[in-house]
Amino acid sequence: MDKEKTFPPFFGVPVSLKDNVLYKGRVSYVGMIDPINPVQGEETECVLLIKKMGLIPFVRSTTPQANKTFETNNNIFGYCKNPWDEGRSCSGSSGGEGGLIGSHCAPIGIGNDIAGSLRSPADFTGIFTLKPFYRYSNIGLAKAGDFSGGLFLRPENGVYSRSIDDVILWNQFMYDK
């Protein structure tokens, strides 16, 4: 008698990660010419949760310098163009993620938000997201100096997708973990 094998909700789905999500064996630039964080030695909590959901990290997305502008542009990768109109922006600071998901280069992606960095790129590129306001951990984000402005402003990790159902499933899993 074989037991039925259960798979995690996003088993085998590739996921893109914003450049400030620390990932084992990778450097985080956070839009700066010099790396902000050296090669990561261990998996961070964020990536462990992503893998627990069955997702496979496969690409990193660009960010503005130090993640602190509403337009994604830096001296490494240049200007992040909107997939619907290359003369327009994807917004920021998760604009690289918005552009990847909006242009169908990734089915789901991880960004983060303090003052609109999830919501604004979603609006600019026609995809779905939700700022989960302290719903789950933000441990595992590269920091480009302490520009947060205070204790109550911390980046919130969130998911991007072209489907609202994926955003709902993601948040149900994160809430139940």
Side-chain angles (χ1 to χ4, degrees):
M1 179 187 243
D2 291 329
K3 283 188 172 183
E4 192 173 308
K5 188 166 184 162
T6 58
F7 294 97
F10 290 98
F11 181 74
V13 175
V15 62
S16 55
L17 305 174
K18 184 176 176 180
D19 185 46
N20 72 332
V21 177
L22 296 174
Y23 183 62
K24 183 178 181 178
R26 303 284 187 246
V27 174
S28 288
Y29 288 89
V30 194
M32 310 291 264
I33 292 175
D34 288 326
I36 295 300
N37 294 75
V39 174
Q40 188 66 22
E42 297 178 11
E43 293 293 21
T44 59
E45 185 175 346
C46 178
V47 173
L48 288 172
L49 287 169
I50 288 165
K51 288 182 175 183
K52 185 177 178 183
M53 294 174 77
L55 292 159
I56 302 168
F58 81 106
V59 68
R60 305 279 297 266
S61 63
T62 189
T63 66
Q65 288 186 4
N67 281 339
K68 300 301 173 195
T69 65
F70 289 106
E71 191 165 57
T72 301
N73 184 21
N74 64 54
N75 290 327
I76 301 171
F77 302 109
Y79 184 74
C80 182
K81 297 177 181 178
N82 190 301
W84 302 106
D85 182 348
E86 289 187 8
R88 295 178 187 252
S89 170
C90 286
S91 189
S93 70
S94 297
E97 277 303 313
L100 279 172
I101 307 304
S103 63
H104 296 243
C105 290
I108 196 164
I110 308 304
N112 36 68
D113 187 317
I114 291 177
S117 296
L118 281 169
R119 297 159 288 158
S120 183
D123 185 41
F124 278 46
T125 60
I127 60 175
F128 296 93
T129 193
L130 172 72
K131 182 178 180 181
F133 197 70
Y134 302 121
R135 191 166 199 178
Y136 40 86
S137 174
N138 68 350
I139 295 171
L141 298 181
K143 294 182 171 95
D146 185 12
F147 301 112
S148 64
L151 208 51
F152 300 107
L153 296 177
R154 70 174 203 159
E156 296 294 324
N157 287 329
V159 68
Y160 280 122
S161 179
R162 290 182 304 278
S163 161
I164 191 65
D165 293 332
D166 288 345
V167 173
I168 291 168
L169 181 61
W170 167 274
N171 283 286
Q172 285 174 339
F173 181 86
M174 294 304 288
Y175 186 73
D176 293 339
K177 69 168 177 70

